[in-house]
Amino acid sequence: MRFKQYHCPWSTYHLSDIAEVVGGGTPDTTVPSLWNGDIQWFTPTEVGHQKYVSKSARTITQLGLQKSSAKKLPAGSILLSSRATIGECSIAQRECTTNQGFQNLIPKNDTNNEFLYYLAQTKKHHFIKYASGSTFLEISNSEIRKTKCTVPGTEEQTQIAAFLSALDDRISVQNKIISKYETLIKGLCNMIFRHNKSVSLSDLVKCKTSALQENMVSTCHRGEYKVLGASGAIAAIDTYQFEENGILVLKDGSKAGKIQFAEGKYSVIGTSVVLIPNEACDARYLYFAMSSIDFEKYKVGSGIPHIYFKDYSNERIYYPEKSLRKRITEALDAYDIKLGIEKEMLSALQKQKAFLIKSMFI
């Protein structure tokens, strides 16, 4: 898929022909003088969430730069993760460094850095395929350097980058819209449910568990009933565990305490518990009420965090008379429905971007 004014064939190169591939490094973490300086220092978890990055969680000093294998990267470099989340990338808006979990791309002459950013995204599966390692997978500097890529002339690169950047800008706006609705709903819940917390959660719900494992259903997608995991529906199978509306509470991992609303007939991965309201009409009300619970204080475990129903079951819930519960639910549902529509719009934009990137690159 090309803009109609361009007809010249694209040229095939190795990635090292169009960009300098530069690794990173980490100063000794036990030496304070190497840290908290004015040099940005990124880790893989900080890239891939947005197109541009400018401020890192940690910084290093000039001495830290000298005493490590970290390299200064100019603004406009592509920070490319080579470990863990292999192939995730962002564009550095300012001079920075990275740890050793990167093989960064500094565009050479006649290479548009934004075009290179989108090109790198098309190579993610290639990077994963050629990653190796016994402890953790990693794509090496040499493998990235010899990765083949096909690119057009500078003018067409710029046109493609500008087109996809406009779509990225729209996605960024959509994310901000979603964030505002989420903040609004959370604020309303905190305001509504802070009053007269008169009833224990344990008096309003029954806690049910599941022994279903994700690897049992990960390849099943043609069934009638959805299977819910930490991020929503992950499979579809021919049987179901529950037919009552309920609230799923993730009990394991860094996001322990995350809640989801479940309705219809469904199954649940064992990393969540299902809270079934004693009063069926209370499911949505309790879903909103529980969103104001601070689950952080119930997390236990030095490695993988866990939360247990027996600990947070004594949380007190604001539980007014039935007609008021209904009015509160209807008001919050109106905002939640709007939030769902905005998330569907974001999903559509992301699918459109994925299609265009696949179609516009050779």
Side-chain angles (χ1 to χ4, degrees):
M1 182 183 292
R2 302 182 73 180
F3 294 100
K4 62 181 181 180
Q5 65 267 39
Y6 299 108
H7 305 285
C8 294
W10 289 27
S11 301
T12 299
Y13 301 99
H14 290 113
L15 200 49
S16 59
D17 295 325
I18 64 172
E20 183 182 356
V21 184
V22 180
T26 301
D28 189 333
T29 56
T30 65
V31 182
S33 62
L34 307 184
W35 295 91
N36 300 316
D38 57 1
I39 301 173
Q40 305 300 311
W41 181 82
F42 288 94
T43 62
T45 58
E46 297 176 89
V47 302
H49 310 293
Q50 52 194 10
K51 182 175 179 179
Y52 297 102
V53 292
S54 61
K55 187 174 177 61
S56 57
R58 300 186 69 184
T59 58
I60 62 175
T61 62
Q62 187 64 36
L63 183 61
L65 179 66
Q66 295 169 1
K67 295 285 186 179
S68 72
S69 57
K71 302 288 191 300
K72 269 194 177 181
L73 305 166
S77 297
I78 314 304
L79 309 186
L80 178 65
S81 172
S82 58
R83 290 183 185 174
T85 50
I86 295 172
E88 294 294 325
C89 59
S90 294
I91 301 175
Q93 286 188 302
R94 58 194 291 192
E95 190 177 64
C96 67
T97 62
T98 68
N99 76 359
Q100 63 273 24
F102 288 82
Q103 293 297 335
N104 306 291
L105 307 178
I106 303 175
K108 293 185 177 179
N109 292 338
D110 299 328
T111 301
N112 181 288
N113 73 314
E114 289 193 341
F115 176 86
L116 183 61
Y117 164 74
Y118 293 114
L119 175 64
Q121 292 179 46
T122 71
K123 299 299 179 182
K124 183 173 181 177
H125 292 300
H126 174 87
F127 295 151
I128 294 172
K129 179 180 178 180
Y130 287 95
S132 60
S134 55
T135 306
F136 50 80
L137 289 179
E138 180 175 12
I139 180 74
S140 68
N141 179 284
S142 60
E143 284 291 348
I144 290 182
R145 285 173 54 84
K146 67 183 182 183
T147 298
K148 287 187 177 181
C149 52
T150 307
V151 300
T154 305
E155 186 179 317
E156 189 172 359
Q157 288 181 37
T158 303
Q159 184 78 23
I160 291 171
F163 178 74
L164 292 174
S165 292
L167 184 54
D168 264 335
D169 290 343
R170 178 64 184 87
I171 289 173
S172 177
V173 169
Q174 194 65 24
N175 276 316
K176 290 177 182 178
I177 292 171
I178 289 170
S179 179
K180 287 184 180 296
Y181 272 107
E182 289 175 336
T183 301
L184 174 60
I185 292 171
K186 185 173 180 60
L188 288 171
C189 288
N190 289 338
M191 189 186 334
I192 292 169
F193 298 112
R194 69 186 178 189
H195 303 290
N196 188 21
K197 299 183 177 182
S198 56
V199 182
S200 291
L201 180 62
S202 59
D203 294 330
L204 299 173
V205 300
K206 296 180 180 66
C207 180
K208 298 188 177 183
T209 59
S210 166
L212 190 63
Q213 301 299 312
E214 186 169 350
N215 60 7
M216 298 177 181
V217 297
S218 59
T219 60
C220 303
H221 300 285
R222 296 187 178 183
E224 183 178 353
Y225 307 108
K226 60 189 175 184
V227 179
L228 299 173
S231 57
I234 62 167
I237 58 179
D238 295 323
T239 59
Y240 60 89
Q241 296 171 315
F242 306 99
E243 56 183 344
E244 309 98 335
N245 291 352
I247 300 99
L248 275 59
V249 183
L250 187 63
K251 62 180 182 178
D252 302 311
S254 61
K255 295 185 178 179
K258 177 183 176 181
I259 65 173
Q260 296 181 65
F261 183 74
E263 59 184 336
K265 297 177 180 178
Y266 56 93
S267 295
V268 176
I269 297 300
T271 51
S272 293
V273 297
V274 185
L275 305 184
I276 305 296
N278 298 332
E279 295 285 339
C281 61
D282 276 345
R284 287 295 288 176
Y285 177 83
L286 291 177
Y287 166 72
F288 289 120
M290 288 182 62
S291 69
S292 64
I293 294 176
D294 177 17
F295 285 101
E296 286 294 323
K297 60 187 178 184
Y298 297 111
K299 290 184 178 180
V300 295
S302 57
I304 300 175
H306 304 275
I307 59 169
Y308 299 97
F309 179 69
K310 64 180 179 62
D311 295 327
Y312 63 83
S313 63
N314 291 324
E315 275 282 341
R316 310 292 287 184
I317 298 293
Y318 173 52
Y319 197 71
E321 50 89 19
K322 186 173 182 178
S323 63
L324 181 53
R325 298 200 305 272
K326 181 179 178 182
R327 287 165 54 199
I328 289 171
T329 302
E330 289 174 347
L332 292 173
D333 261 334
Y335 288 110
D336 202 53
I337 290 170
K338 177 61 176 171
L339 174 61
I341 293 171
E342 298 298 342
K343 286 183 175 180
E344 288 177 2
M345 176 65 77
L346 174 62
S347 178
L349 289 169
Q350 290 171 332
K351 288 177 181 177
Q352 183 182 36
K353 177 185 172 182
F355 169 78
L356 288 169
I357 287 180
K358 182 178 180 181
S359 302
M360 298 180 77
F361 288 79
I362 299 174

